[in-house]
Amino acid sequence: MAIRKDGGFVTMQQHVISSQAEHIKASGEFSWLLSAITLSTKIISSYVRRAGLIDIIGEAHSADGHNQTNVQGEIVQKLDLIANDTLKRTLGYRGNVGIVASEEDNDPKVIQELGKGGKYIVMFDPLDGSSNIDTNVSVGTIFTILERIPGEKSVTQGVLQPGYKQLAAGYVVYGSSTVMVYTVGHGVHMFTLDPQFGAYLLVKENVKMPEYANQYSCNEAYLHTFPEGYGKYLGWAKDHKGGQCSMRYIGSLVADFHRILLKGGVFLYPPTKKNPEGKLRLMYEANPLAFIAEQAGGAATDGRGRVLDIQPTSLHQRTPLIIGGKKNVDEVMKFVR
Ligand code: AHM
Ligand code: MG
């Protein structure tokens, strides 16, 4: 399916339903679940668009007036909480969502028992890059969907599945427009939210990431604390490419990744002294983007092996991340391995 020859448009819902008929065994229940995510992101988008107008901008405070921090000790932004609640509330009404797990919550939450139809697990970073909100920089939502395993020992055990088991993954960038990118394991598709219609319209089907581009994305301020190989790669990229290589770093993973999906290059978040296992979270940041990258012809590694093969041991586990065009990732790995 593509944008229709008659000039008409294809909504995300139409796209999901038709690709579901082609590829996914599950019935309409899967598109019903995905529509909860699209609805949530439309609501979140409307808040993000009004962030400077209404009193929701800035850091959230607890009753005692102190900054509120999440399980990882990071300051929570008010919009983080709004985005988190919106996703949980919307998914809660779908009936087939068994467990939700979020960057903002300590533990996964059971919504519906498996025996009562709650067969899916949805994990998300409700508002990635939210420390950028105050300065009008693009932020996003990242999500992934897995199937619950019958007979799981505990809720936590149930969600700790490696990334290759993802059924679907996607993200939304709240940028100059609101863009949704998703995969169900059969290519990557991109939609833009038409604010007049209130619908995501298909912009590009089967998005392919350029295999190679002379661009890297990395917070080089931490260079002195990176493992040696990363430093060598970055030095080489600058010195030995005749000034052809450029650097772009937004500091919002979704926005940095989206640029690489469309323009190519590589994003690196290596281990640092502060975060020896990297900063980014495996389950709801690295895994969904790795799934999308691979589906678009790219690659993602933690510097040791394929991100999607990592067996997680905890919900909020962090991982180093090297993600982007296949040849770019291979080039970095020559130095890092
Ligand atoms: P967040 O999910 O709490 O917003 O943190 C993750 C963000 C990523 O979006 C981004 O790639 C990274 O943190 C930036 O970190 P740094 O400021 O250390 O470069
Ligand atoms: Mg994040």
Side-chain angles (χ1 to χ4, degrees), residues 67-103:
N67 285 337
Q68 198 172 323
T69 52
N70 67 10
V71 61
Q72 291 145 84
E74 297 156 337
I75 294 172
V76 174
Q77 305 283 321
K78 285 179 191 167
L79 270 176
D80 281 314
L81 300 181
I82 291 173
N84 197 32
D85 287 349
T86 302
L87 276 154
K88 284 193 290 188
R89 227 174 318 119
T90 316
L91 286 162
Y93 289 116
R94 285 305 193 255
N96 57 10
V97 178
I99 299 172
V100 290
S102 162
E103 175 181 324

Side-chain angles (χ1 to χ4, degrees), residues 103 125-130 140 142 253 280-281 284-285:
E103 175 181 324
D125 178 352
L127 208 59
D128 177 61
S130 56
I142 312 174
L253 175 63
L280 302 170
R281 273 54 55 112
Y284 41 78
E285 291 182 321

Side-chain angles (χ1 to χ4, degrees), residues 209-215 233 236 241 260 264-268 293 296-301 322-335 337:
M209 193 182 269
E211 226 181 6
Y212 189 81
N214 266 324
Q215 199 166 105
Y233 164 73
W236 173 83
K241 296 192 108 190
I260 287 168
V266 63
F267 173 93
L268 315 157
T301 153
I322 302 166
I323 189 166
K326 210 166 175 327
K327 284 192 176 162
N328 284 92
V329 171
D330 287 348
E331 192 171 73
V332 179
M333 287 304 287
K334 280 186 203 146
F335 292 86
R337 198 170 263 131

Side-chain angles (χ1 to χ4, degrees), residues 110-155:
V110 177
I111 303 232
Q112 181 77 266
E113 290 306 334
L114 190 51
K116 291 187 178 161
K119 65 189 270 195
Y120 295 110
I121 301 165
V122 185
M123 285 188 263
F124 43 84
D125 178 352
L127 208 59
D128 177 61
S130 56
S131 61
N132 284 320
I133 288 171
D134 290 358
T135 50
N136 235 342
V137 170
S138 299
V139 292
T141 297
I142 312 174
F143 65 90
T144 175
I145 303 173
L146 293 153
E147 199 161 4
R148 272 179 100 171
I149 308 158
E152 66 199 7
K153 288 199 192 84
S154 66
V155 174

